[in-house]
PDB file of all heavy atoms in Angstrom:
ATOM      1  N   ASN A   1      85.679 105.040 -97.252  1.00 92.00           N
ATOM      2  CA  ASN A   1      85.374 105.667 -98.530  1.00 92.00           C
ATOM      3  C   ASN A   1      85.014 104.587 -99.553  1.00 92.00           C
ATOM      4  O   ASN A   1      85.706 104.384-100.546  1.00 92.00           O
ATOM      5  CB  ASN A   1      86.564 106.496 -99.026  1.00 92.00           C
ATOM      6  CG  ASN A   1      86.184 107.383-100.187  1.00 92.00           C
ATOM      7  OD1 ASN A   1      85.010 107.661-100.425  1.00 92.00           O
ATOM      8  ND2 ASN A   1      87.180 107.837-100.924  1.00 92.00           N
ATOM      9  N   TYR A   2      83.915 103.917 -99.288  1.00 95.00           N
ATOM     10  CA  TYR A   2      83.469 102.830-100.165  1.00 95.00           C
ATOM     11  C   TYR A   2      82.824 103.397-101.424  1.00 95.00           C
ATOM     12  O   TYR A   2      82.301 104.513-101.434  1.00 95.00           O
ATOM     13  CB  TYR A   2      82.490 101.906 -99.424  1.00 95.00           C
ATOM     14  CG  TYR A   2      81.323 102.602 -98.784  1.00 95.00           C
ATOM     15  CD1 TYR A   2      80.122 102.772 -99.479  1.00 95.00           C
ATOM     16  CD2 TYR A   2      81.412 103.090 -97.486  1.00 95.00           C
ATOM     17  CE1 TYR A   2      79.049 103.417 -98.890  1.00 95.00           C
ATOM     18  CE2 TYR A   2      80.340 103.737 -96.886  1.00 95.00           C
ATOM     19  CZ  TYR A   2      79.163 103.897 -97.598  1.00 95.00           C
ATOM     20  OH  TYR A   2      78.103 104.544 -97.010  1.00 95.00           O
ATOM     21  N   LEU A   3      82.864 102.605-102.488  1.00 96.00           N
ATOM     22  CA  LEU A   3      82.251 103.026-103.739  1.00 96.00           C
ATOM     23  C   LEU A   3      80.760 102.743-103.730  1.00 96.00           C
ATOM     24  O   LEU A   3      80.265 101.901-102.956  1.00 96.00           O
ATOM     25  CB  LEU A   3      82.918 102.345-104.935  1.00 96.00           C
ATOM     26  CG  LEU A   3      84.243 102.998-105.369  1.00 96.00           C
ATOM     27  CD1 LEU A   3      85.403 102.497-104.523  1.00 96.00           C
ATOM     28  CD2 LEU A   3      84.518 102.743-106.834  1.00 96.00           C
ATOM     29  N   LYS A   4      80.041 103.419-104.613  1.00 96.00           N
ATOM     30  CA  LYS A   4      78.593 103.270-104.722  1.00 96.00           C
ATOM     31  C   LYS A   4      78.175 103.071-106.175  1.00 96.00           C
ATOM     32  O   LYS A   4      77.093 103.495-106.571  1.00 96.00           O
ATOM     33  CB  LYS A   4      77.879 104.496-104.153  1.00 96.00           C
ATOM     34  CG  LYS A   4      78.110 104.728-102.665  1.00 96.00           C
ATOM     35  CD  LYS A   4      77.302 105.929-102.195  1.00 96.00           C
ATOM     36  CE  LYS A   4      77.427 106.158-100.711  1.00 96.00           C
ATOM     37  NZ  LYS A   4      76.594 107.304-100.249  1.00 96.00           N
ATOM     38  N   GLY A   5      79.028 102.436-106.962  1.00 96.00           N
ATOM     39  CA  GLY A   5      78.670 102.148-108.345  1.00 96.00           C
ATOM     40  C   GLY A   5      79.661 102.733-109.334  1.00 96.00           C
ATOM     41  O   GLY A   5      80.497 103.586-109.001  1.00 96.00           O
ATOM     42  N   CYS A   6      79.566 102.265-110.573  1.00 97.00           N
ATOM     43  CA  CYS A   6      80.409 102.746-111.667  1.00 97.00           C
ATOM     44  C   CYS A   6      79.633 102.605-112.967  1.00 97.00           C
ATOM     45  O   CYS A   6      78.808 101.688-113.107  1.00 97.00           O
ATOM     46  CB  CYS A   6      81.728 101.971-111.732  1.00 97.00           C
ATOM     47  SG  CYS A   6      81.526 100.175-111.934  1.00 97.00           S
ATOM     48  N   LYS A   7      79.889 103.503-113.920  1.00 98.00           N
ATOM     49  CA  LYS A   7      79.146 103.493-115.178  1.00 98.00           C
ATOM     50  C   LYS A   7      80.077 103.870-116.323  1.00 98.00           C
ATOM     51  O   LYS A   7      80.738 104.907-116.292  1.00 98.00           O
ATOM     52  CB  LYS A   7      77.969 104.478-115.127  1.00 98.00           C
ATOM     53  CG  LYS A   7      76.927 104.122-114.055  1.00 98.00           C
ATOM     54  CD  LYS A   7      75.769 105.106-114.031  1.00 98.00           C
ATOM     55  CE  LYS A   7      74.774 104.745-112.933  1.00 98.00           C
ATOM     56  NZ  LYS A   7      73.605 105.673-112.915  1.00 98.00           N
ATOM     57  N   TRP A   8      80.110 103.004-117.360  1.00 98.00           N
ATOM     58  CA  TRP A   8      80.861 103.328-118.565  1.00 98.00           C
ATOM     59  C   TRP A   8      80.207 104.497-119.297  1.00 98.00           C
ATOM     60  O   TRP A   8      78.982 104.619-119.329  1.00 98.00           O
ATOM     61  CB  TRP A   8      80.902 102.140-119.521  1.00 98.00           C
ATOM     62  CG  TRP A   8      81.846 101.051-119.141  1.00 98.00           C
ATOM     63  CD1 TRP A   8      81.540  99.829-118.596  1.00 98.00           C
ATOM     64  CD2 TRP A   8      83.280 101.054-119.294  1.00 98.00           C
ATOM     65  NE1 TRP A   8      82.675  99.088-118.399  1.00 98.00           N
ATOM     66  CE2 TRP A   8      83.765  99.805-118.815  1.00 98.00           C
ATOM     67  CE3 TRP A   8      84.192 101.989-119.783  1.00 98.00           C
ATOM     68  CZ2 TRP A   8      85.115  99.484-118.812  1.00 98.00           C
ATOM     69  CZ3 TRP A   8      85.533 101.671-119.778  1.00 98.00           C
ATOM     70  CH2 TRP A   8      85.991 100.430-119.299  1.00 98.00           C
ATOM     71  N   ALA A   9      81.026 105.327-119.905  1.00 97.00           N
ATOM     72  CA  ALA A   9      80.498 106.361-120.795  1.00 97.00           C
ATOM     73  C   ALA A   9      79.887 105.703-122.020  1.00 97.00           C
ATOM     74  O   ALA A   9      80.302 104.612-122.426  1.00 97.00           O
ATOM     75  CB  ALA A   9      81.625 107.312-121.211  1.00 97.00           C
ATOM     76  N   PRO A  10      78.891 106.333-122.642  1.00 97.00           N
ATOM     77  CA  PRO A  10      78.245 105.728-123.812  1.00 97.00           C
ATOM     78  C   PRO A  10      79.193 105.409-124.959  1.00 97.00           C
ATOM     79  O   PRO A  10      78.934 104.470-125.727  1.00 97.00           O
ATOM     80  CB  PRO A  10      77.218 106.791-124.219  1.00 97.00           C
ATOM     81  CG  PRO A  10      76.886 107.502-122.947  1.00 97.00           C
ATOM     82  CD  PRO A  10      78.186 107.545-122.187  1.00 97.00           C
ATOM     83  N   ASP A  11      80.300 106.158-125.087  1.00 95.00           N
ATOM     84  CA  ASP A  11      81.243 105.857-126.160  1.00 95.00           C
ATOM     85  C   ASP A  11      82.375 104.940-125.698  1.00 95.00           C
ATOM     86  O   ASP A  11      83.285 104.633-126.464  1.00 95.00           O
ATOM     87  CB  ASP A  11      81.822 107.138-126.753  1.00 95.00           C
ATOM     88  CG  ASP A  11      82.813 107.843-125.832  1.00 95.00           C
ATOM     89  OD1 ASP A  11      82.845 107.501-124.617  1.00 95.00           O
ATOM     90  OD2 ASP A  11      83.559 108.703-126.308  1.00 95.00           O
ATOM     91  N   GLY A  12      82.327 104.493-124.438  1.00 95.00           N
ATOM     92  CA  GLY A  12      83.292 103.527-123.940  1.00 95.00           C
ATOM     93  C   GLY A  12      84.671 104.075-123.644  1.00 95.00           C
ATOM     94  O   GLY A  12      85.587 103.302-123.365  1.00 95.00           O
ATOM     95  N   SER A  13      84.855 105.393-123.666  1.00 95.00           N
ATOM     96  CA  SER A  13      86.189 105.963-123.497  1.00 95.00           C
ATOM     97  C   SER A  13      86.611 106.105-122.048  1.00 95.00           C
ATOM     98  O   SER A  13      87.801 106.221-121.757  1.00 95.00           O
ATOM     99  CB  SER A  13      86.267 107.336-124.173  1.00 95.00           C
ATOM    100  OG  SER A  13      85.359 108.241-123.543  1.00 95.00           O
ATOM    101  N   CYS A  14      85.654 106.080-121.113  1.00 96.00           N
ATOM    102  CA  CYS A  14      86.004 106.319-119.718  1.00 96.00           C
ATOM    103  C   CYS A  14      84.931 105.740-118.801  1.00 96.00           C
ATOM    104  O   CYS A  14      83.849 105.325-119.246  1.00 96.00           O
ATOM    105  CB  CYS A  14      86.182 107.818-119.455  1.00 96.00           C
ATOM    106  SG  CYS A  14      84.757 108.821-119.937  1.00 96.00           S
ATOM    107  N   ILE A  15      85.261 105.706-117.514  1.00 97.00           N
ATOM    108  CA  ILE A  15      84.372 105.167-116.488  1.00 97.00           C
ATOM    109  C   ILE A  15      84.104 106.271-115.466  1.00 97.00           C
ATOM    110  O   ILE A  15      85.005 107.026-115.096  1.00 97.00           O
ATOM    111  CB  ILE A  15      85.018 103.968-115.764  1.00 97.00           C
ATOM    112  CG1 ILE A  15      85.605 102.970-116.763  1.00 97.00           C
ATOM    113  CG2 ILE A  15      84.010 103.271-114.860  1.00 97.00           C
ATOM    114  CD1 ILE A  15      86.531 101.959-116.114  1.00 97.00           C
ATOM    115  N   LEU A  16      82.864 106.335-114.990  1.00 98.00           N
ATOM    116  CA  LEU A  16      82.466 107.289-113.959  1.00 98.00           C
ATOM    117  C   LEU A  16      82.139 106.523-112.686  1.00 98.00           C
ATOM    118  O   LEU A  16      81.391 105.544-112.718  1.00 98.00           O
ATOM    119  CB  LEU A  16      81.246 108.086-114.442  1.00 98.00           C
ATOM    120  CG  LEU A  16      80.621 109.095-113.480  1.00 98.00           C
ATOM    121  CD1 LEU A  16      81.602 110.217-113.152  1.00 98.00           C
ATOM    122  CD2 LEU A  16      79.339 109.675-114.085  1.00 98.00           C
ATOM    123  N   SER A  17      82.712 106.949-111.556  1.00 97.00           N
ATOM    124  CA  SER A  17      82.452 106.275-110.283  1.00 97.00           C
ATOM    125  C   SER A  17      81.869 107.250-109.269  1.00 97.00           C
ATOM    126  O   SER A  17      82.085 108.456-109.343  1.00 97.00           O
ATOM    127  CB  SER A  17      83.733 105.642-109.732  1.00 97.00           C
ATOM    128  OG  SER A  17      84.605 106.639-109.217  1.00 97.00           O
ATOM    129  N   ASN A  18      81.166 106.686-108.290  1.00 97.00           N
ATOM    130  CA  ASN A  18      80.595 107.433-107.178  1.00 97.00           C
ATOM    131  C   ASN A  18      81.082 106.779-105.895  1.00 97.00           C
ATOM    132  O   ASN A  18      81.226 105.557-105.833  1.00 97.00           O
ATOM    133  CB  ASN A  18      79.058 107.396-107.262  1.00 97.00           C
ATOM    134  CG  ASN A  18      78.393 108.060-106.070  1.00 97.00           C
ATOM    135  OD1 ASN A  18      78.968 108.934-105.434  1.00 97.00           O
ATOM    136  ND2 ASN A  18      77.172 107.634-105.764  1.00 97.00           N
ATOM    137  N   SER A  19      81.354 107.581-104.874  1.00 96.00           N
ATOM    138  CA  SER A  19      81.872 107.018-103.633  1.00 96.00           C
ATOM    139  C   SER A  19      81.358 107.795-102.434  1.00 96.00           C
ATOM    140  O   SER A  19      80.720 108.842-102.567  1.00 96.00           O
ATOM    141  CB  SER A  19      83.407 107.004-103.641  1.00 96.00           C
ATOM    142  OG  SER A  19      83.921 108.280-103.962  1.00 96.00           O
ATOM    143  N   ALA A  20      81.654 107.266-101.235  1.00 94.00           N
ATOM    144  CA  ALA A  20      81.075 107.810-100.008  1.00 94.00           C
ATOM    145  C   ALA A  20      81.593 109.191 -99.661  1.00 94.00           C
ATOM    146  O   ALA A  20      80.990 109.877 -98.819  1.00 94.00           O
ATOM    147  CB  ALA A  20      81.355 106.848 -98.850  1.00 94.00           C
ATOM    148  N   ASP A  21      82.693 109.629-100.270  1.00 94.00           N
ATOM    149  CA  ASP A  21      83.173 110.988-100.006  1.00 94.00           C
ATOM    150  C   ASP A  21      82.454 112.024-100.859  1.00 94.00           C
ATOM    151  O   ASP A  21      82.852 113.190-100.898  1.00 94.00           O
ATOM    152  CB  ASP A  21      84.687 111.081-100.213  1.00 94.00           C
ATOM    153  CG  ASP A  21      85.119 110.705-101.628  1.00 94.00           C
ATOM    154  OD1 ASP A  21      84.247 110.339-102.446  1.00 94.00           O
ATOM    155  OD2 ASP A  21      86.328 110.765-101.915  1.00 94.00           O
ATOM    156  N   ASN A  22      81.391 111.602-101.560  1.00 96.00           N
ATOM    157  CA  ASN A  22      80.562 112.488-102.385  1.00 96.00           C
ATOM    158  C   ASN A  22      81.351 113.115-103.533  1.00 96.00           C
ATOM    159  O   ASN A  22      81.098 114.253-103.932  1.00 96.00           O
ATOM    160  CB  ASN A  22      79.906 113.590-101.539  1.00 96.00           C
ATOM    161  CG  ASN A  22      79.139 113.032-100.366  1.00 96.00           C
ATOM    162  OD1 ASN A  22      78.554 111.952-100.454  1.00 96.00           O
ATOM    163  ND2 ASN A  22      79.138 113.741 -99.255  1.00 96.00           N
ATOM    164  N   VAL A  23      82.306 112.351-104.066  1.00 96.00           N
ATOM    165  CA  VAL A  23      83.105 112.801-105.203  1.00 96.00           C
ATOM    166  C   VAL A  23      82.853 111.873-106.381  1.00 96.00           C
ATOM    167  O   VAL A  23      82.910 110.633-106.240  1.00 96.00           O
ATOM    168  CB  VAL A  23      84.613 112.821-104.859  1.00 96.00           C
ATOM    169  CG1 VAL A  23      85.442 113.159-106.097  1.00 96.00           C
ATOM    170  CG2 VAL A  23      84.890 113.823-103.747  1.00 96.00           C
ATOM    171  N   LEU A  24      82.548 112.441-107.526  1.00 97.00           N
ATOM    172  CA  LEU A  24      82.424 111.692-108.772  1.00 97.00           C
ATOM    173  C   LEU A  24      83.779 111.737-109.477  1.00 97.00           C
ATOM    174  O   LEU A  24      84.380 112.806-109.611  1.00 97.00           O
ATOM    175  CB  LEU A  24      81.343 112.308-109.658  1.00 97.00           C
ATOM    176  CG  LEU A  24      79.919 112.228-109.100  1.00 97.00           C
ATOM    177  CD1 LEU A  24      79.041 113.293-109.724  1.00 97.00           C
ATOM    178  CD2 LEU A  24      79.323 110.841-109.325  1.00 97.00           C
ATOM    179  N   ARG A  25      84.262 110.576-109.915  1.00 97.00           N
ATOM    180  CA  ARG A  25      85.569 110.488-110.542  1.00 97.00           C
ATOM    181  C   ARG A  25      85.445 109.902-111.939  1.00 97.00           C
ATOM    182  O   ARG A  25      84.669 108.968-112.163  1.00 97.00           O
ATOM    183  CB  ARG A  25      86.505 109.622-109.698  1.00 97.00           C
ATOM    184  CG  ARG A  25      86.888 110.233-108.348  1.00 97.00           C
ATOM    185  CD  ARG A  25      87.652 109.254-107.491  1.00 97.00           C
ATOM    186  NE  ARG A  25      88.184 109.864-106.278  1.00 97.00           N
ATOM    187  CZ  ARG A  25      87.505 110.007-105.130  1.00 97.00           C
ATOM    188  NH1 ARG A  25      86.243 109.566-105.057  1.00 97.00           N
ATOM    189  NH2 ARG A  25      88.063 110.569-104.076  1.00 97.00           N
ATOM    190  N   VAL A  26      86.234 110.448-112.847  1.00 98.00           N
ATOM    191  CA  VAL A  26      86.296 109.947-114.221  1.00 98.00           C
ATOM    192  C   VAL A  26      87.655 109.302-114.441  1.00 98.00           C
ATOM    193  O   VAL A  26      88.701 109.923-114.169  1.00 98.00           O
ATOM    194  CB  VAL A  26      86.067 111.072-115.246  1.00 98.00           C
ATOM    195  CG1 VAL A  26      86.302 110.563-116.666  1.00 98.00           C
ATOM    196  CG2 VAL A  26      84.653 111.627-115.123  1.00 98.00           C
ATOM    197  N   TYR A  27      87.634 108.042-114.917  1.00 97.00           N
ATOM    198  CA  TYR A  27      88.846 107.306-115.257  1.00 97.00           C
ATOM    199  C   TYR A  27      88.862 107.042-116.757  1.00 97.00           C
ATOM    200  O   TYR A  27      87.875 106.537-117.317  1.00 97.00           O
ATOM    201  CB  TYR A  27      88.889 105.952-114.534  1.00 97.00           C
ATOM    202  CG  TYR A  27      88.998 106.030-113.034  1.00 97.00           C
ATOM    203  CD1 TYR A  27      87.860 106.218-112.239  1.00 97.00           C
ATOM    204  CD2 TYR A  27      90.225 105.891-112.401  1.00 97.00           C
ATOM    205  CE1 TYR A  27      87.948 106.278-110.859  1.00 97.00           C
ATOM    206  CE2 TYR A  27      90.326 105.948-111.012  1.00 97.00           C
ATOM    207  CZ  TYR A  27      89.188 106.137-110.248  1.00 97.00           C
ATOM    208  OH  TYR A  27      89.284 106.192-108.882  1.00 97.00           O
ATOM    209  N   ASN A  28      89.980 107.361-117.404  1.00 96.00           N
ATOM    210  CA  ASN A  28      90.123 106.999-118.808  1.00 96.00           C
ATOM    211  C   ASN A  28      90.362 105.503-118.946  1.00 96.00           C
ATOM    212  O   ASN A  28      90.972 104.872-118.071  1.00 96.00           O
ATOM    213  CB  ASN A  28      91.306 107.741-119.436  1.00 96.00           C
ATOM    214  CG  ASN A  28      90.973 109.174-119.795  1.00 96.00           C
ATOM    215  OD1 ASN A  28      89.802 109.531-119.928  1.00 96.00           O
ATOM    216  ND2 ASN A  28      91.992 109.993-119.952  1.00 96.00           N
ATOM    217  N   LEU A  29      89.901 104.943-120.039  1.00 92.00           N
ATOM    218  CA  LEU A  29      90.215 103.560-120.349  1.00 92.00           C
ATOM    219  C   LEU A  29      91.725 103.460-120.562  1.00 92.00           C
ATOM    220  O   LEU A  29      92.293 104.201-121.359  1.00 92.00           O
ATOM    221  CB  LEU A  29      89.467 103.131-121.615  1.00 92.00           C
ATOM    222  CG  LEU A  29      89.587 101.681-122.041  1.00 92.00           C
ATOM    223  CD1 LEU A  29      89.013 100.756-120.984  1.00 92.00           C
ATOM    224  CD2 LEU A  29      88.866 101.464-123.367  1.00 92.00           C
ATOM    225  N   PRO A  30      92.424 102.568-119.853  1.00 89.00           N
ATOM    226  CA  PRO A  30      93.884 102.490-119.991  1.00 89.00           C
ATOM    227  C   PRO A  30      94.298 102.277-121.444  1.00 89.00           C
ATOM    228  O   PRO A  30      93.766 101.395-122.121  1.00 89.00           O
ATOM    229  CB  PRO A  30      94.256 101.284-119.124  1.00 89.00           C
ATOM    230  CG  PRO A  30      93.150 101.174-118.120  1.00 89.00           C
ATOM    231  CD  PRO A  30      91.917 101.614-118.850  1.00 89.00           C
ATOM    232  N   PRO A  31      95.225 103.085-121.966  1.00 86.00           N
ATOM    233  CA  PRO A  31      95.611 102.949-123.373  1.00 86.00           C
ATOM    234  C   PRO A  31      96.234 101.598-123.692  1.00 86.00           C
ATOM    235  O   PRO A  31      96.209 101.158-124.843  1.00 86.00           O
ATOM    236  CB  PRO A  31      96.623 104.086-123.565  1.00 86.00           C
ATOM    237  CG  PRO A  31      97.090 104.452-122.190  1.00 86.00           C
ATOM    238  CD  PRO A  31      95.943 104.167-121.280  1.00 86.00           C
ATOM    239  N   GLU A  32      96.784 100.899-122.678  1.00 83.00           N
ATOM    240  CA  GLU A  32      97.372  99.579-122.926  1.00 83.00           C
ATOM    241  C   GLU A  32      96.336  98.567-123.395  1.00 83.00           C
ATOM    242  O   GLU A  32      96.700  97.543-124.000  1.00 83.00           O
ATOM    243  CB  GLU A  32      98.052  99.052-121.646  1.00 83.00           C
ATOM    244  CG  GLU A  32      99.276  99.833-121.209  1.00 83.00           C
ATOM    245  CD  GLU A  32      98.932 101.042-120.349  1.00 83.00           C
ATOM    246  OE1 GLU A  32      97.715 101.319-120.170  1.00 83.00           O
ATOM    247  OE2 GLU A  32      99.858 101.716-119.864  1.00 83.00           O
ATOM    248  N   ILE A  33      95.064  98.844-123.134  1.00 82.00           N
ATOM    249  CA  ILE A  33      94.009  97.911-123.558  1.00 82.00           C
ATOM    250  C   ILE A  33      93.989  97.772-125.078  1.00 82.00           C
ATOM    251  O   ILE A  33      93.639  96.722-125.617  1.00 82.00           O
ATOM    252  CB  ILE A  33      92.627  98.405-123.059  1.00 82.00           C
ATOM    253  CG1 ILE A  33      92.610  98.428-121.526  1.00 82.00           C
ATOM    254  CG2 ILE A  33      91.497  97.524-123.590  1.00 82.00           C
ATOM    255  CD1 ILE A  33      92.761  97.077-120.875  1.00 82.00           C
ATOM    256  N   TYR A  34      94.393  98.826-125.780  1.00 77.00           N
ATOM    257  CA  TYR A  34      94.354  98.798-127.238  1.00 77.00           C
ATOM    258  C   TYR A  34      95.597  98.174-127.858  1.00 77.00           C
ATOM    259  O   TYR A  34      95.763  98.186-129.065  1.00 77.00           O
ATOM    260  CB  TYR A  34      94.168 100.226-127.785  1.00 77.00           C
ATOM    261  CG  TYR A  34      92.895 100.860-127.303  1.00 77.00           C
ATOM    262  CD1 TYR A  34      92.903 101.810-126.287  1.00 77.00           C
ATOM    263  CD2 TYR A  34      91.673 100.493-127.847  1.00 77.00           C
ATOM    264  CE1 TYR A  34      91.729 102.378-125.830  1.00 77.00           C
ATOM    265  CE2 TYR A  34      90.496 101.058-127.404  1.00 77.00           C
ATOM    266  CZ  TYR A  34      90.528 101.997-126.394  1.00 77.00           C
ATOM    267  OH  TYR A  34      89.363 102.554-125.944  1.00 77.00           O
ATOM    268  N   THR A  35      96.478  97.655-127.020  1.00 75.00           N
ATOM    269  CA  THR A  35      97.672  96.978-127.501  1.00 75.00           C
ATOM    270  C   THR A  35      97.697  95.575-126.917  1.00 75.00           C
ATOM    271  O   THR A  35      96.791  95.162-126.194  1.00 75.00           O
ATOM    272  CB  THR A  35      98.939  97.748-127.065  1.00 75.00           C
ATOM    273  OG1 THR A  35      99.132  97.564-125.658  1.00 75.00           O
ATOM    274  CG2 THR A  35      98.809  99.231-127.373  1.00 75.00           C
ATOM    275  N   SER A  36      98.732  94.839-127.205  1.00 68.00           N
ATOM    276  CA  SER A  36      98.898  93.504-126.618  1.00 68.00           C
ATOM    277  C   SER A  36      99.779  93.556-125.382  1.00 68.00           C
ATOM    278  O   SER A  36     100.158  92.523-124.840  1.00 68.00           O
ATOM    279  CB  SER A  36      99.518  92.557-127.652  1.00 68.00           C
ATOM    280  OG  SER A  36     100.765  93.063-128.094  1.00 68.00           O
ATOM    281  N   ASN A  37     100.106  94.761-124.910  1.00 69.00           N
ATOM    282  CA  ASN A  37     100.983  94.926-123.752  1.00 69.00           C
ATOM    283  C   ASN A  37     100.164  94.942-122.474  1.00 69.00           C
ATOM    284  O   ASN A  37      99.954  95.984-121.860  1.00 69.00           O
ATOM    285  CB  ASN A  37     101.809  96.214-123.896  1.00 69.00           C
ATOM    286  CG  ASN A  37     102.824  96.367-122.781  1.00 69.00           C
ATOM    287  OD1 ASN A  37     103.229  95.381-122.178  1.00 69.00           O
ATOM    288  ND2 ASN A  37     103.212  97.597-122.500  1.00 69.00           N
ATOM    289  N   TRP A  38      99.688  93.762-122.077  1.00 72.00           N
ATOM    290  CA  TRP A  38      98.846  93.660-120.894  1.00 72.00           C
ATOM    291  C   TRP A  38      99.587  93.088-119.693  1.00 72.00           C
ATOM    292  O   TRP A  38      98.981  92.820-118.666  1.00 72.00           O
ATOM    293  CB  TRP A  38      97.645  92.752-121.183  1.00 72.00           C
ATOM    294  CG  TRP A  38      96.664  93.324-122.127  1.00 72.00           C
ATOM    295  CD1 TRP A  38      96.687  94.536-122.752  1.00 72.00           C
ATOM    296  CD2 TRP A  38      95.473  92.672-122.582  1.00 72.00           C
ATOM    297  NE1 TRP A  38      95.596  94.685-123.563  1.00 72.00           N
ATOM    298  CE2 TRP A  38      94.822  93.558-123.480  1.00 72.00           C
ATOM    299  CE3 TRP A  38      94.890  91.448-122.330  1.00 72.00           C
ATOM    300  CZ2 TRP A  38      93.633  93.238-124.120  1.00 72.00           C
ATOM    301  CZ3 TRP A  38      93.708  91.130-122.955  1.00 72.00           C
ATOM    302  CH2 TRP A  38      93.076  92.018-123.848  1.00 72.00           C
ATOM    303  N   ASP A  39     100.876  92.850-119.833  1.00 73.00           N
ATOM    304  CA  ASP A  39     101.585  92.157-118.762  1.00 73.00           C
ATOM    305  C   ASP A  39     101.550  92.932-117.448  1.00 73.00           C
ATOM    306  O   ASP A  39     101.299  92.374-116.390  1.00 73.00           O
ATOM    307  CB  ASP A  39     103.039  91.910-119.180  1.00 73.00           C
ATOM    308  CG  ASP A  39     103.130  90.943-120.353  1.00 73.00           C
ATOM    309  OD1 ASP A  39     102.259  90.074-120.450  1.00 73.00           O
ATOM    310  OD2 ASP A  39     104.066  91.082-121.158  1.00 73.00           O
ATOM    311  N   VAL A  40     101.796  94.220-117.528  1.00 76.00           N
ATOM    312  CA  VAL A  40     101.799  95.051-116.322  1.00 76.00           C
ATOM    313  C   VAL A  40     101.010  96.321-116.613  1.00 76.00           C
ATOM    314  O   VAL A  40     101.525  97.257-117.216  1.00 76.00           O
ATOM    315  CB  VAL A  40     103.224  95.400-115.871  1.00 76.00           C
ATOM    316  CG1 VAL A  40     103.168  96.251-114.606  1.00 76.00           C
ATOM    317  CG2 VAL A  40     104.037  94.144-115.632  1.00 76.00           C
ATOM    318  N   LEU A  41      99.766  96.357-116.183  1.00 85.00           N
ATOM    319  CA  LEU A  41      98.960  97.562-116.310  1.00 85.00           C
ATOM    320  C   LEU A  41      99.044  98.334-114.995  1.00 85.00           C
ATOM    321  O   LEU A  41      98.838  97.755-113.919  1.00 85.00           O
ATOM    322  CB  LEU A  41      97.504  97.241-116.616  1.00 85.00           C
ATOM    323  CG  LEU A  41      97.110  97.191-118.098  1.00 85.00           C
ATOM    324  CD1 LEU A  41      97.754  95.989-118.763  1.00 85.00           C
ATOM    325  CD2 LEU A  41      95.597  97.139-118.264  1.00 85.00           C
ATOM    326  N   PRO A  42      99.356  99.616-115.030  1.00 88.00           N
ATOM    327  CA  PRO A  42      99.455 100.381-113.776  1.00 88.00           C
ATOM    328  C   PRO A  42      98.091 100.566-113.127  1.00 88.00           C
ATOM    329  O   PRO A  42      97.045 100.406-113.763  1.00 88.00           O
ATOM    330  CB  PRO A  42     100.034 101.718-114.249  1.00 88.00           C
ATOM    331  CG  PRO A  42      99.583 101.842-115.675  1.00 88.00           C
ATOM    332  CD  PRO A  42      99.597 100.444-116.221  1.00 88.00           C
ATOM    333  N   GLU A  43      98.115 100.898-111.848  1.00 93.00           N
ATOM    334  CA  GLU A  43      96.875 101.216-111.153  1.00 93.00           C
ATOM    335  C   GLU A  43      96.229 102.429-111.804  1.00 93.00           C
ATOM    336  O   GLU A  43      96.904 103.386-112.186  1.00 93.00           O
ATOM    337  CB  GLU A  43      97.152 101.503-109.683  1.00 93.00           C
ATOM    338  CG  GLU A  43      95.892 101.857-108.897  1.00 93.00           C
ATOM    339  CD  GLU A  43      96.169 102.199-107.443  1.00 93.00           C
ATOM    340  OE1 GLU A  43      97.344 102.070-107.028  1.00 93.00           O
ATOM    341  OE2 GLU A  43      95.219 102.587-106.741  1.00 93.00           O
TER     342      GLU A  43
END
């Protein structure tokens, strides 16, 4: 199930991915990015 690319949304709030299972997935930008708490970001 390899990926076939990723694209940021125009407003930068999320990422769209494509993969070999023919599923498009939307990921939100991790909220920790907007803080200084970068020590442990979850998957």
Side-chain angles (χ1 to χ4, degrees):
N1 192 19
Y2 53 92
L3 280 83
K4 297 182 176 182
C6 58
K7 297 180 182 182
W8 283 105
D11 72 345
S13 63
C14 55
I15 312 166
L16 177 64
S17 74
N18 175 26
S19 52
D21 59 358
N22 306 326
V23 174
L24 295 158
R25 292 172 172 86
V26 173
Y27 295 83
N28 281 340
L29 185 62
E32 293 85 355
I33 297 296
Y34 300 103
T35 72
S36 58
N37 185 24
W38 291 359
D39 294 329
V40 181
L41 268 69
E43 179 182 356

